[in-house]
Amino acid sequence: MLERSELAENALASLHDEGYGKVFDPQNLNAQTMIFTGGREGQSLNGDWNFCVDLLDTGLRQKWFALSPLSAGERTEPWDYDPYDGETVPVPSCWQMLRDRWYFFEGSAWYTRAFDYHLPAGRRLFLRIGAAQYDCKVFLNGKFLGNHAGGSTPFCVELTAALEAGTNWVMLCVNNTRTSDRVPMKNTDWFNYGGVYRDVELFETSQTVIRDLFVRLSGGNICVSARIDGPATEATFKILALEVDATLQVSDGAAQATIPAQPDLWSPETPVLYDITLTAGEDRVSDRVGFRRIERRGTEIFLNGQPVFLRGISVHEDDERAGKVTTEADIRRRFSHARELGCNFLRLAHYPHHELAARIADEVGLMLWEEIPVYWAIDFANPATRRDAENQLRELIQRDRNRASVIIWSVGNENPDTDARLDFMKGLADRAKTEDPSRLTAAACLINHHSLAIEDRLAAHIDVIGINEYYGWYEQDFRDLQAIGKNSNPDRPVVISETGADGDHAAGPSTGLFSVTYQVEVYRRQIKILRGLDYVKGMTPWILYDFRTERRQGIYQRGFNRKGLITADKTTRKPAFEVLAAYYSELAGSTKD
Ligand code: GCU
């Protein structure tokens, strides 16, 4: 009789256990378990990881994470996959872009690698994953440490207790399956990439670790708040350039201070940044922070007390070759194209983009709208969906609220105006204000096409009303857009968060729908009407680049949404680019800026 291990017995029993997944979904890796990483020296775990797709979650059922690391020849029982051997993929990456057979793969995939670490006594070790689409379960040396839900926000997990001296094995089970209770849910107009597609790093800290640091201007003061985990009774906050050197008292892990200061103000024209540091016990973090004021009064948006018009464009995080992986060069190219368009603003749609985007926008002087993917028909009545949305919002805000470039947190896109949605989204907008009272809130709302007016009930609970309207494309009659302009009388600023038309530069017709000439006509007619609406204080037309989406397989789309002003190769401008650029140039030269 073949001697079977306990694991082998489990492998057989698991064939009849459909409850296998429950124990792996505590969602305990969340906003609360993040650590502040500004100024920390991390050890990168980027590079080749062993990898396999696992459509039926055989790995969780058979507990591949519990297999001991042995060479193939040492195995005494048959296994369906050996995580310590076989194919590798680079991290960061999206598996769809690596092998044709994985292009439409939706399910679990396993990443495994070893790392050596000697952790001195009294020190702590954290793993930080910049993003994994969508759910990520973390195992270290066979132990399940927890999971994170959300495909575009960073998360941390403490490894200290499960670390072994010498070689350690980390395994990630990433699942990008779309389900109706997720954020986003299963129907989106962008490609469902999967994988560990941002940086993976190790951070060693002292017993005391600064988990969060938020610095902002409020009136004539710099307000500092921090969350500190571990032994510390006080913390020291410094901005040498402003001769700020403040001691904060730590109570129950919290520290705050209000410090009178007159920093030079950050703006797109003067993107001034200050070096700040916070120390607590042996822990020390730093950041480069700009100070500015963003407010709305009536239908005006004010930056540092001056009215501003947001000359923007929408962008997805999408690349023809790299999928959702983005690099500093890709972000700088995106921003230089936006600058050539005459932009002072971008809408980073429809989910949190790479954290580098806001850091570079701080540096080059661009304002940003950031958002969470509460998109279309979210399951607004489901508490699990609400928990997911709220955590992703908190993680985004915690990650980027020291970034002067971020002026708007947006909580949703094109959601139906129902009671459940109103309650859900009002809750998110209120949460955003709680986490960060220094910025504006928004949502991309729909027009009431029956009354031809801006009437979304959510508008009363956000600072800026985003409006997605496609007159000239999905809605044919431009006279209706004129009527909407006249019928609407919002008491707060409106940003046209989407408008545009597809133009297939490579293979479209010479005129009519999907031609680049018709795209020009839509932009011309849109601008002609919108410029007359004095409550419109910004635009982010849809969209800078053509982008990948499964739902568009027509002869002029071929798996891409072609509303870009630049083609998917990010090099070829379409004629409509110049139409918008001309309008923005006129605005920049006029008082409307
Ligand atoms: C919607 C949606 C976008 C989508 C766009 C389009 O407004 O918000 O995500 O890509 O329309 O249809 O092109």
Side-chain angles (χ1 to χ4, degrees), residues 36-38 213-216 266 273-274 276 286-292 294 354-363 366-368 370 396-409 436 438-439:
F36 190 84
T37 53
L213 170 60
F214 180 22
V215 183
R216 65 204 170 281
W266 183 94
L273 298 175
Y274 287 87
I276 67 165
S286 63
D287 207 345
R288 281 175 59 71
V289 177
F291 297 102
R292 52 106 190 91
I294 190 76
H354 196 292
E355 55 210 294
L356 257 182
R359 284 196 178 282
I360 294 170
D362 272 11
E363 181 197 309
L366 283 166
M367 294 178 282
L368 300 177
E370 293 196 333
L396 168 62
I397 292 176
Q398 203 168 305
R399 187 196 75 177
D400 284 359
R401 61 186 173 183
N402 285 350
R403 305 277 71 82
S405 52
V406 179
I407 60 169
I408 290 174
W409 304 119
D436 173 14
S438 72
R439 286 179 175 81

Side-chain angles (χ1 to χ4, degrees), residues 189 350 375-376 413-414 468 470 474 498 542 547 552 561 563:
D189 187 27
H350 279 299
Y375 181 93
W376 289 353
N413 182 79
E414 287 197 356
N468 290 3
Y470 282 91
Y474 297 118
E498 289 185 33
W542 196 257
F547 63 92
R552 296 172 182 273
N561 181 312
K563 294 187 180 69

